[in-house]
Amino acid sequence: MANPDDIFAPYDAPAGGWGALAATARALRQQSAVARGSRALLATNQPEGFDCPGCAWPDPRHTSSFEFCENGAKAVAWEVTDRRVTRDFFAQNTLADLAKQSDHWLESQGRLTEPMRYDPATDRYVPIAWDDAFAMIARHIAAMDHPDQAEFYVSGRTSNEAAFLFALLGRLIGTNNFPDCSNMCHEPTSRGLPQSIGIGKGTSTLEDFEHADMILSIGQNPGTNSPRAMGTLRDAARRGARIVVLNPLRERALERFADPKDAGDILTNRGQRIAHLYCQVKVGGDVAALKGVMKLLVEADRDARANGRTPVLDHDFIAAHTSGFDAFVADLDATAWDAILETSGLSRETLQQIADIYAASRNVILMYGMGITQHRHGSQNIQQCVNLLLLRGNIGRPGTGISPVRGHSNVQGDRTVGIDDQPSAAYLDRLGKVFNFEPPREHGHNVVTALEAMLRGDVRVFIGMGGNFAAAVPDTPLADAAMRRIGLTVSVATKLNRGHVVHGQDALILPCLARSELDPQNGVLQSVTIEDSMSMVHASGGLLEPASPQLRSEVAIVCGMAKAILADRPPRIEWDGYVADYARIRDDIEAVYPDLFHDFNERLRQPGGFRLYNPASERVWKTDTGRANFLVFRGVAEDPARERNPGTLRLATLRSHDQYNTTIYSLDDRYRGVKGDRMVAFMNEQDMAERGIAAGDRIRLRTVSEDGVDRSVGNLTALPYNIPKGSIGAYYPEANPLLPLYHHDELALTPAAKSIPVIAEAM
């Protein structure tokens, strides 16, 4: 039994404030990057600077002297560090030894400096020349039986230019296998939203937040995952907007936040109250809560109309712009209150409070994160969010809209320019016309189906443009074994990570420039472009000398692979021309997407960039009905496993505050009060008592599996925490072995990491 006081103490100060400033300074010192990092931070998210390698929250049009947050500062410090992973490092460490190290330790070693290949005879990485590395990739591609034996994985860090060329390369080879990080987070947004409103992107802009009367935040922790959003929420709360939060855990930033950029907040360290109403919904209870609120609104509207009062719903909007309203209302009428209250964990009085605030608000924005998407019915969760907004016409006018809070900074842009396992026929037609070839038409692999193919032994080559695939995916032991059977794994990366020790029979590490670094090609500095979560496209150019003269840009690496793989095969493409001038890539992006990227290079010169056309923002609905659709979700239960196993808890995997995606900056989680340990489980005290678990006990979590596979993670310290009964939390990626590959959203196939049925056992 551990002493919980050694690793856990409640955090009572506001999020942000002095704590954020101190953490930023500490991160720069730890990476020995105070001078270099400070210079980089002052250029982060500035019009003439580079885009933060962290989250996708948009930049304000009127920037301040610094536009970075604590976690953005950590991400920059992580890449501008003076630590280096050289050939000497690999000579001193076998991969068997490296595999024993933690993810935190691996990434702490510093920047990769030159191309490396795996040598099975010594179990070490050894240097390889760039051209030899490209030739190795070409040999493995040529040896495949068919193009679908290759997987082209993309991380959201990848620029629009590199992603566009990577998508072109894969399709010239003959496959649509493009698993990407979006598959593991916001794929339900990409697949579920179009069925509702005709586009897989949010409709709100940053300016809309300035005019919202109510902001409904569901399933997200922006204080950790997108801290710059907290400045927007703080400003909204300060001017009187009602912010309502639905989230299982009470996240400190959503309770009170002190903006590190505001002298008043820093001097007083009191911060601004954020949530007007904080509702701790059970894990998996979001649909139930939303249906309860909508049921109350419909009932209030009937009563108002029957008694001659102003209707609660916007019937003019519903009649002119929507389809499916009658079926939607019939389903609400058929949904029992007992089921809503039991599944949501919220009282009817609380749901009434939400409904009253919503009904009294003229302009409403609903923002959501992975607490909504990473469920068995993540796509339907989002569609119910849309239903709520449609009831009062809260899409397509100022101060309203749906706002998915994306993770990595260009994850949305990568999808826009072609990283899609289910490309549209229109895109393929244009791509084929511009480049004079016939692209493959069959749908390819996403993350789940790529892993299934690996398990079958059907993958021969895996090329990862950034990211840490091995650490991010579900069913970790099965996935690791499958990765090791692949003929060649290629990682384009800036730092050492788990994917470099979980590798194929042959393996390459290809080190690339970071966003903060200068990218001169033929003596001319190049810039790339990024699309944020609100469809704004802007340029990003580095300002620091590269960590090593051996580094190449993502664009140069893709073009180098393409030249070696395709050689003199038609069509003839001037890959060297793309490397020499990235504006040529943007010209061809414009040619393939003339409606979205018309006058691309010219519009890029506008301060702050430009916004891509978003039809739903203008109440143009590109759906099958030509309208926004009310979509029905039958019942409220997400997963019948909970009903079949009364002792089952619903596990949500969590990021700590000192973490971004799979990158772990330290073992602390300041806002949740955890210090020096990530092997913890956050539990409801009543759930602990019912299972004979005391604070500090070591416990094992075991998945309630449907396929007979025993999945468990042990040696977790049980911490009593303010979390609804029946819900439990543990850190990602440590809890990934509990997440079955089959446990995913039905439409988008996104792994349901926020809703894993588990049993908690004392060890």
Side-chain angles (χ1 to χ4, degrees):
M1 177 176 178
N3 183 353
D5 293 337
D6 293 340
I7 61 173
F8 178 67
Y11 184 87
D12 296 324
W18 283 111
L21 292 176
T24 297
R26 186 164 54 250
L28 292 173
R29 289 196 306 271
Q30 289 173 345
Q31 297 301 316
S32 302
V34 174
R36 181 176 163 94
S38 297
R39 183 184 173 204
L41 287 174
L42 291 175
T44 304
N45 298 321
Q46 297 293 334
E48 301 301 321
F50 65 94
D51 201 75
C52 177
C55 77
W57 193 254
D59 305 329
R61 289 193 177 276
H62 305 289
T63 59
S64 65
S65 58
F66 62 95
E67 286 297 338
F68 58 87
C69 64
E70 175 188 341
N71 274 14
K74 292 172 185 173
V76 171
W78 218 237
E79 72 174 33
V80 305
T81 177
D82 68 350
R83 300 176 185 176
R84 300 290 182 264
V85 176
T86 65
R87 61 177 64 187
D88 292 338
F89 171 89
F90 286 114
Q92 296 164 11
N93 292 278
T94 67
L95 264 68
D97 290 335
L98 292 177
K100 299 174 185 176
Q101 300 290 346
S102 69
D103 294 80
H104 171 58
W105 186 91
L106 290 173
E107 294 210 26
S108 295
Q109 301 314 297
R111 290 289 299 279
L112 297 162
T113 56
E114 63 180 314
M116 307 295 290
R117 71 168 178 85
Y118 176 63
D119 176 22
T122 61
D123 191 36
R124 289 174 169 84
Y125 279 106
V126 297
I128 185 173
W130 277 104
D131 286 346
D132 291 339
F134 295 146
M136 176 184 286
I137 297 170
R139 287 195 301 273
H140 277 271
I141 293 287
M144 297 188 309
D145 297 325
H146 54 82
D148 287 333
Q149 289 182 327
E151 304 288 349
F152 292 84
Y153 177 75
V154 179
S155 158
R157 188 204 64 204
T158 308
S159 68
N160 286 329
E161 290 76 7
F164 176 78
L165 295 180
F166 199 54
L168 173 62
L169 171 59
R171 292 185 171 105
L172 286 168
I173 291 170
T175 186
N176 284 313
N177 287 352
F178 290 101
D180 76 313
C181 61
S182 176
N183 298 155
M184 292 182 277
C185 56
H186 268 281
E187 193 69 11
T189 297
S190 299
R191 305 300 176 197
L193 264 184
Q195 293 183 355
S196 290
I197 60 172
I199 188 171
K201 301 181 182 184
T203 63
S204 300
T205 66
L206 204 54
E207 289 73 22
D208 285 322
F209 280 81
E210 299 173 6
H211 304 286
D213 303 310
M214 175 189 182
I215 299 170
L216 183 56
S217 170
I218 308 183
Q220 62 159 347
N221 178 18
T224 287
N225 298 319
S226 49
R228 284 198 302 134
M230 290 308 308
T232 302
L233 292 177
R234 174 254 198 189
D235 291 345
R238 178 165 287 188
R239 64 172 175 77
R242 301 291 185 92
I243 298 176
V244 175
V245 175
L246 269 70
N247 200 62
L249 281 72
R250 294 191 73 88
E251 303 293 8
R252 188 58 181 150
L254 288 170
E255 294 179 306
R256 187 167 290 276
F257 176 75
D259 193 336
K261 294 184 296 185
D262 186 276
D265 280 5
I266 291 297
L267 289 173
T268 64
N269 204 36
R270 291 172 55 192
Q272 169 68 42
R273 177 189 176 189
I274 300 299
H276 175 81
L277 179 64
Y278 205 120
C279 311
Q280 289 182 260
V281 65
K282 284 183 180 178
V283 168
D286 303 288
V287 162
L290 288 166
K291 291 186 77 170
V293 171
M294 292 187 289
K295 190 177 177 76
L296 289 168
L297 289 167
V298 169
E299 291 171 354
D301 181 75
R302 284 176 178 151
D303 182 69
R305 295 171 72 190
N307 290 283
R309 298 193 303 273
T310 302
V312 173
L313 308 185
D314 187 340
H315 291 278
D316 290 340
F317 171 84
I318 291 170
H321 288 280
T322 73
S323 176
F325 179 70
D326 291 341
F328 160 76
V329 171
D331 176 71
L332 289 181
D333 290 340
T335 304
W337 272 112
D338 286 349
I340 289 172
L341 302 180
E342 168 61 26
T343 304
S344 71
L346 301 177
S347 68
R348 184 160 177 170
E349 290 72 24
T350 296
L351 296 174
Q352 185 68 62
Q353 284 181 279
I354 301 171
D356 289 344
I357 296 171
Y358 182 79
S361 301
R362 168 63 179 157
N363 301 325
V364 179
I365 291 175
L366 189 152
M367 58 192 301
Y368 66 88
M370 291 186 293
I372 282 288
T373 62
Q374 290 182 325
H375 288 266
R376 286 292 286 266
H377 298 300
S379 297
Q380 290 94 333
N381 284 350
I382 294 167
Q383 290 165 356
Q384 298 310 302
C385 291
V386 172
N387 288 348
L388 176 61
L389 293 174
L390 295 180
L391 286 176
R392 286 178 53 82
N394 277 306
I395 293 182
R397 54 182 175 79
T400 70
I402 191 157
S403 182
V405 181
R406 299 272 188 169
H408 227 148
S409 62
N410 198 43
V411 64
Q412 183 163 298
D414 290 345
R415 177 58 54 85
T416 299
V417 299
I419 301 302
D420 191 348
D421 59 284
Q422 300 178 40
S424 69
Y427 159 73
L428 294 175
D429 290 343
R430 290 192 300 266
L431 190 73
K433 182 177 181 180
V434 170
F435 292 100
N436 193 29
F437 79 111
E438 180 52 44
R441 300 282 167 166
E442 293 293 324
H443 286 176
H445 294 157
N446 59 25
V447 164
V448 166
T449 52
L451 283 168
E452 290 172 345
M454 292 177 197
L455 290 168
R456 295 192 304 268
D458 289 344
V459 176
R460 303 275 290 276
V461 177
F462 178 93
I463 303 175
M465 282 294 296
N468 187 355
F469 185 84
V473 297
D475 251 339
T476 308
L478 294 177
D480 285 0
M483 288 289 288
R484 296 184 191 280
R485 291 198 296 270
I486 297 174
L488 172 67
T489 54
V490 181
S491 173
V492 179
T494 58
K495 305 285 288 289
L496 191 67
N497 65 42
R498 181 63 52 190
H500 302 138
V501 298
V502 179
H503 56 82
Q505 296 164 22
D506 284 336
L508 291 168
I509 298 175
L510 304 181
C512 68
L513 293 171
R515 284 201 188 152
S516 58
E517 292 171 326
L518 295 166
D519 182 7
Q521 301 293 343
N522 293 337
V524 178
L525 289 177
Q526 304 295 318
S527 62
V528 296
T529 58
I530 306 299
E531 180 187 349
D532 64 34
S533 63
M534 295 183 187
S535 302
M536 292 295 297
V537 175
H538 53 273
S540 175
L543 77 159
L544 302 178
E545 288 297 323
S548 164
Q550 282 266 42
L551 303 183
R552 293 194 180 184
S553 71
E554 293 175 321
V555 166
I557 293 171
V558 174
C559 291
M561 289 190 289
K563 288 174 61 181
I565 293 168
L566 301 172
D568 295 325
R569 287 168 46 185
R572 297 285 298 177
I573 295 174
E574 294 297 325
W575 300 102
D576 288 337
Y578 285 145
V579 177
D581 185 0
Y582 296 177
R584 298 184 186 182
I585 308 172
R586 291 188 283 273
D587 285 339
D588 282 344
I589 293 175
E590 178 181 341
V592 174
Y593 299 97
D595 295 335
L596 287 177
F597 288 99
H598 61 87
D599 304 316
F600 193 175
N601 283 301
E602 180 65 28
R603 287 198 291 164
L604 201 57
R605 299 187 182 98
Q606 300 173 13
F610 60 93
R611 190 173 191 232
L612 298 176
Y613 175 58
N614 188 309
S617 293
E618 301 178 16
R619 294 188 169 178
V620 175
W621 317 106
K622 300 289 187 178
T623 63
D624 290 343
T625 64
R627 291 166 170 255
N629 294 316
F630 282 97
L631 298 176
V632 171
F633 179 91
R634 304 293 181 191
V636 294
E638 173 165 331
D639 188 346
R642 186 163 180 253
E643 282 70 34
R644 291 199 303 268
N645 300 275
T648 299
L649 301 173
R650 194 72 66 79
L651 170 68
T653 64
L654 311 168
R655 276 74 168 167
S656 75
H657 187 63
D658 250 7
Q659 175 180 0
Y660 187 73
N661 292 341
T662 57
T663 299
I664 298 166
Y665 302 121
S666 83
L667 302 182
D668 298 341
D669 190 356
R670 185 168 80 247
Y671 295 154
R672 296 195 185 105
V674 178
K675 186 173 181 60
D677 195 357
R678 291 179 56 84
M679 295 301 292
V680 300
F682 301 97
M683 296 190 69
N684 174 278
E685 289 190 78
Q686 188 174 343
D687 285 332
M688 294 174 68
E690 290 176 357
R691 291 158 179 78
I693 296 170
D697 278 359
R698 299 290 186 183
I699 67 169
R700 178 178 301 278
L701 297 182
R702 193 178 303 278
T703 304
V704 181
S705 298
E706 299 173 8
D707 60 357
V709 175
D710 184 19
R711 298 175 174 87
S712 69
V713 172
N715 290 315
L716 295 163
T717 300
L719 296 179
Y721 205 78
N722 186 356
I723 188 171
K725 190 176 187 309
S727 304
I728 185 171
Y731 289 124
Y732 157 100
E734 288 82 356
N736 278 10
L738 296 167
L739 177 55
L741 185 58
Y742 65 77
H743 188 66
H744 54 67
D745 176 74
E746 296 173 346
L747 176 63
L749 273 65
T750 294
K754 293 295 188 287
S755 183
I756 309 170
V758 298
I759 301 293
E761 308 166 333
M763 295 184 66

